[in-house]
Amino acid sequence: MSTTLLFAILLVIAVVAFILGRMRAGALSQGRSSALHSRPNYYGAFAALVAFLPPLILVAIWLAVSPFVINSAVRDTFPQEVKGQSQAQQSLAFGMVSTIARGLPWLSEDEVRAVKQDPSSLQSVFAGKGVAVAAEAQPYMLDSAATLNAMAQTSRTLLSALAIALSVVGAFFALRVVAPRFRARNQVERVMLWALLLASSIAILTTVGIVASMLTEALRFFNAVPAHEFFFGTVWDPRFAGAGASSNGQFGLIPLLAGTLYIGFVAMLVAVPVGLFAAIYMAEYASPRMRSLAKPLLEVLAGIPTIVYGFFALVTVGPFLRDISAQLSGLVTGNYASFIQAQSVITAGIVMGIMLIPYVSSLSDDIITAVPRALRDGSLGLGATRSETIKRVILPAALPGIVGALLMTASRAIGETMIVVLAAGVAARMQINPFEPMTTVTVKIVNQLTGDLEFTSPQTLVAFALGITLFCITLALNIYALYIVRKYREQYE
């Protein structure tokens, strides 16, 4: 039985338990809700949870543990000469066995017998079934594959039987304990509390796991490259070992960090005025009908994939800036050479700023509309115009929240990758001319991890050092934004 079908059966049992639990609570109270400690739905929910959660936990544990048990048992069937090989060779052999096991159900009995008699024909037979086998199979692999399939089928059957039986027993137990004074609501809320705690723990542990994985590999990088050379180096030239025998390359962070901050700064110059003015218009000037149309249309920009923005920069914005700069140069000097390159800081900054407009406008709009109406009415009642009210009352009141929103938007900007790759290039250099290409930290992370590489050299491990650095920068921005919002929020409540 497949896992999906098993979940469907458990869900059906839980629904039936919910209905029966609710009906039993109503029957015991003889239709009088005041005789019950909890509402009838809580009794049904209690029965459904008891029928569904224990088998669900059993399935999760079983699916996590059973592969290791089955794989260990299958490896024990290997011949002694295979067991004497290295771990990598045994893993390769087991991978072959797994591939053969997936293809065996597609073969007829005659084809299985033919393959067992002539293992060298296995590749061609499996190729006809759409299953690719990397190398020629050994005779023992067919028997091990059959054992693997048999054990997997036995495991699925046993799991299905135990899970269904546990679900039925749980439903029966829940129905037995249903009574008018049974605290079903307390039990259900306790389960929900544990579920919320589990969800919070997963989110926290995921963050801890991400940081730990990056930090572990980053420490390996810093064992090979001194930290001061990375954080204060001004040259980025991560040559691979085959490129030169005398050098492992230079891993200066400063050019990448400068490009990241420069492009992010240009993007914020574009996004902040447009987004903030759009938010002020929608919150203070637009009619309800116009607001209901403009706000969703503006927020559509947030749903466009960043690769599409990159194409827009590569095909439209970059060539436009290059051509217009050539025309301007020709009009002024007579030389029609463009002084803005198609891939440049300003191209990436403009397109990234367009991408960030909905973040600025949406967050700022929510913050401005949250300013108490009494402040507006008081200012207008004292004779101030609407523009004066916005400048001297509403914006100062909303300023802490707007600053926090802008900092969060900035952290989004410095983590962008695809727009920078297509619009600003991959040149890691330090310069202040916005019409020349630069690159960012995220782009180099992608470059260093592109291809069939092993995490054994500084050229690949540097990606983790870049990642943990970028994580710390964005974390600091987010923490500072939250600090500003929390520090000044109560001042205007």
Side-chain angles (χ1 to χ4, degrees), residues 32 46 119 156 163 169 221 282 296 349 354 386 433 453 456:
R32 294 181 298 108
F46 172 76
R156 287 193 297 268
V169 171
F221 168 76
M282 290 188 295
I354 295 173
R386 179 175 291 185
N433 186 358
L453 304 172
T456 57

Side-chain angles (χ1 to χ4, degrees), residues 350-430:
I350 290 174
V351 177
M352 191 185 299
I354 295 173
M355 181 200 70
L356 296 175
I357 287 174
Y359 295 94
V360 177
S361 63
S362 181
L363 292 173
S364 300
D365 176 67
D366 294 337
I367 293 166
I368 292 173
T369 54
V371 174
R373 185 68 189 178
L375 295 179
R376 295 177 173 85
D377 295 340
S379 176
L380 295 173
L382 292 174
T385 63
R386 179 175 291 185
S387 61
E388 290 174 336
T389 300
I390 293 172
K391 289 185 295 184
R392 300 184 179 182
V393 177
I394 296 176
L395 287 182
L399 187 60
I402 293 175
V403 172
L406 296 184
L407 290 174
M408 291 183 181
T409 305
S411 67
R412 172 70 178 85
I414 66 176
E416 177 53 40
T417 303
M418 294 309 303
I419 294 177
V420 181
V421 171
L422 298 178
V426 294
R429 55 182 179 176
M430 297 178 61

Side-chain angles (χ1 to χ4, degrees), residues 474-485:
T474 55
L475 179 63
L477 284 175
N478 289 334
I479 291 176
Y480 186 58
L482 293 175
Y483 167 76
I484 291 178
V485 172

